[in-house]
Amino acid sequence: MPLKIDVLTLFPRMLDSVLAESILGKGIAAGHLGVSVHDLRAWTTDKHRTADDRPFGGGAGMVMKPEPAIAAIEAVQTPGCRRIYLTPDGTPLSPALAEELSRQQHLVLLSGHYEGIDQRIRDTVIDQEISIGDYVLTNGTLAAAVLIDALARFIPGVLGEEKSLTHESFTSKLLDFPQYTRPAEYRGMSVPEVLLSGNHAEIEKWRHARQVEKTRLVRPDLLK
Ligand code: ADE
């Protein structure tokens, strides 16, 4: 059974192109994973379709009300599914976490909005909280898109060429080496000689050296 993902968001259209285009779009079309996007407002009950309210205790901004989000999750959840809330105060997303999630059967992703969500949503219907990085987005829908894209790459068949997974940044804990394609000379800049040599051992050596060099410069923390 392919992985099934339900996304609950107040901005479902934000995901339209993300899920339709490129490798992710092809992976979904080929049935390697299934993604359903739901508008949280479908679970509001008043005539204004209210999803947020002012925070108890005061403070700026609005807070997502508990009823629509909890009703939505209860409607789509299945036994054993993983219910995830995207939030900057969650566990940082890593390749290992993306890989682990890619092996699940069913994920439910809740995107937060406003200044946050009512704590009772987290306490009752959320199994895991995930952040995509130490910056704050205007809402969690792009974070859900990032999570889906990052984990989809680990699902067999999604990346046409299996090799591209093993060769790249973070799998090896090193950043990528520079890539070149034709033309071999462009505006006076030539492709490094070794890449044209056909000597695979030398090419591997050169690429590894560039990876170490780049990692030392940009992400020395990865080398520790
Ligand atoms: N929502 C807003 N900012 C976020 C982040 N950095 N990660 C996950 N969800 C978020």
Side-chain angles (χ1 to χ4, degrees):
M1 277 281 280
L3 169 64
K4 175 171 168 45
I5 304 177
D6 284 289
V7 187
L8 304 167
T9 170
L10 288 167
F11 305 101
R13 282 175 305 163
M14 284 183 76
L15 292 171
D16 287 352
S17 59
V18 173
L19 298 175
E21 296 285 335
S22 189
I23 292 174
L24 193 50
K26 287 199 192 100
I28 292 168
H32 296 304
L33 72 162
V35 184
S36 306
V37 181
H38 310 272
D39 187 343
L40 269 172
R41 281 192 209 280
W43 283 275
T44 56
T45 48
D46 62 312
K47 85 165 186 274
H48 300 293
R49 309 185 87 198
T50 312
D52 62 330
D53 208 337
R54 286 168 306 167
F56 279 123
M62 300 291 270
V63 173
M64 187 184 276
K65 290 166 62 60
E67 306 95 319
I70 291 175
I73 291 178
E74 286 175 348
V76 300
Q77 69 188 1
T78 53
C81 74
R82 182 88 60 93
R83 301 164 300 180
I84 295 166
Y85 171 48
L86 282 308
T87 174
D89 58 11
T91 304
L93 180 60
S94 64
L97 179 52
E99 198 268 335
E100 198 242 318
L101 294 174
S102 77
R103 288 189 275 104
Q104 301 299 309
Q105 261 164 22
H106 183 196
L107 304 176
V108 176
L109 307 184
L110 176 65
S111 306
H113 302 280
Y114 317 110
E115 299 306 304
I117 66 172
D118 190 288
Q119 181 61 33
R120 290 165 293 187
I121 303 172
R122 303 193 193 206
D123 292 345
T124 55
V125 292
I126 294 299
D127 303 307
Q128 189 168 29
E129 302 182 341
I130 295 178
S131 164
I132 64 158
D134 288 342
Y135 39 80
V136 181
L137 305 168
T138 54
N139 74 75
T141 310
L142 288 176
V146 167
L147 177 60
I148 293 168
D149 193 286
L151 69 83
R153 303 175 66 265
F154 289 99
I155 298 172
V158 167
L159 294 185
E161 217 188 320
E162 302 290 336
K163 256 165 79 191
S164 38
L165 246 188
T166 54
H167 253 234
E168 80 189 74
S169 293
F170 300 113
T171 311
S172 64
K173 289 275 185 197
L174 290 173
L175 302 185
D176 268 354
F177 49 78
Q179 296 274 22
Y180 295 88
T181 186
R182 289 182 291 179
E185 178 146 347
Y186 175 70
R187 293 193 175 178
M189 298 174 284
S190 2
V191 172
E193 204 66 48
V194 60
L195 299 179
L196 311 174
S197 69
N199 183 333
H200 291 292
E202 281 305 309
I203 291 171
E204 285 297 311
K205 230 168 84 186
W206 181 87
R207 285 179 165 171
H208 187 256
R210 297 292 80 70
Q211 286 189 279
V212 173
E213 191 176 73
K214 170 109 191 198
T215 308
R216 186 163 289 142
L217 194 68
V218 178
R219 291 291 305 277
D221 56 298
L222 291 177
L223 291 171
K224 281 186 203 121

